[in-house]
Amino acid sequence: MHSHDDNTIDSEYLAAMKLQKRSVSAEQFSQFEGYVAEIFTAFGLDLHSPSTEETPRRFIKALYDITEGYDGDPKLVKAFETECHGDSDCRLSQIIQGPIPFYALCEHHALPFYGKVYVGYIANENIIGISKLTRLVRLFSKRFAVQERIGQEIAGLLDVMVHPTGVAVYIEAHHLCMEMRGVREEVPMTRTTVWRGAYHDDPALRSEFFTSCGLPRNG
């Protein structure tokens, strides 16, 4: 076990964070706007009106903002020591945050999927500020993504950050690629879970997690 302070981030943590600022020039943005304008026009949108003439520019800017998770989040660096230190009592103490709303773009069709995330962990030597769990969700959801991977990435980075005894992630989401196209399901809900450490080994902990989250199911 090891801890992180304000001035130290080990290579494993940085690799999991993928902390790298994107660099897109003004010339590139202008070029992309031209491509989008050509596509939208071909698909039937009239760009010669007051309400649509700036649509390609707004679309590219919105897409860039929606995928800002690729830039990382330096505010996730900080972890705190806890008084647990692996004591047996701490195995029974869950730290849970949720529902955390999220919005992401499916990497298969670049259409949105959205829903709620519940994150839980059992502390060992370190904890993080409770708001950092929301930041974790946003870090990985604000990218081109798939639901299953978001859960694995949240659990993986939380594991690297604080080395907990266990991690639980539950996600439920609507996928517009199913609601707007394809099978066109009316009210689909995709649910995924990730269990690590004590949660993987102990069905009672999984059940307690679902109960604490107010979810009508058990592990």
Side-chain angles (χ1 to χ4, degrees):
M1 295 289 182
H2 63 282
S3 62
H4 302 281
D5 58 34
D6 290 342
N7 301 312
T8 303
I9 313 174
D10 64 22
S11 58
E12 183 186 16
Y13 185 85
L14 269 179
M17 255 311 254
K18 299 178 181 177
L19 186 58
Q20 54 184 7
K21 190 70 175 177
R22 293 175 296 173
S23 178
V24 182
S25 67
E27 290 76 15
Q28 287 177 300
F29 270 110
S30 179
Q31 186 179 34
F32 299 157
E33 289 170 24
Y35 296 152
V36 170
E38 184 177 353
I39 293 169
F40 283 2
T41 298
F43 286 2
L45 179 62
D46 179 9
L47 295 178
H48 301 290
S49 73
S51 63
T52 61
E53 60 185 2
E54 293 296 317
T55 296
R57 180 188 62 79
R58 289 191 292 261
F59 175 81
I60 290 297
K61 180 61 167 61
L63 189 60
Y64 187 75
D65 292 342
I66 289 168
T67 56
E68 66 181 1
Y70 288 113
D71 292 328
D73 186 347
K75 292 187 177 181
L76 279 170
V77 167
K78 190 172 184 179
F80 306 97
E81 289 189 0
T82 179
E83 296 181 0
C84 281
H85 301 298
D87 293 342
S88 58
D89 288 347
C90 292
R91 287 181 56 83
L92 304 177
S93 179
Q94 300 190 49
I95 301 169
I96 299 173
Q97 179 77 354
I100 302 170
F102 81 95
Y103 303 87
L105 289 177
C106 172
E107 66 181 30
H108 299 143
H109 301 96
L111 288 174
F113 64 100
Y114 63 94
K116 299 173 182 178
V117 183
Y118 299 80
V119 183
Y121 73 99
I122 302 169
N124 194 324
E125 292 185 357
N126 298 290
I127 59 173
I128 56 174
I130 200 70
S131 67
K132 299 299 190 296
L133 296 177
T134 297
R135 288 184 175 277
L136 269 176
V137 172
R138 290 177 179 171
L139 175 70
F140 294 115
S141 63
K142 289 196 170 186
R143 303 180 180 186
F144 292 100
V146 294
Q147 181 173 332
E148 299 89 336
R149 189 171 68 237
I150 290 176
Q152 293 290 345
E153 288 174 329
I154 292 170
L157 185 51
L158 184 56
D159 195 33
V160 170
M161 290 174 68
V162 295
H163 303 280
T165 301
V167 178
V169 182
Y170 170 79
I171 304 176
E172 55 184 28
H174 291 279
H175 291 250
L176 294 190
C177 61
M178 290 196 298
E179 296 184 37
M180 296 178 67
R181 55 166 297 282
V183 294
R184 290 183 171 83
E185 294 188 36
E186 292 185 3
V187 190
M189 181 74 77
T190 301
R191 299 173 174 88
T192 54
T193 57
V194 178
W195 310 115
R196 295 196 178 186
Y199 287 101
H200 180 272
D201 301 330
D202 190 343
L205 278 176
R206 297 197 296 270
S207 181
E208 181 184 337
F209 171 78
F210 281 124
T211 300
S212 298
C213 294
L215 299 169
R217 55 181 293 178
N218 53 58

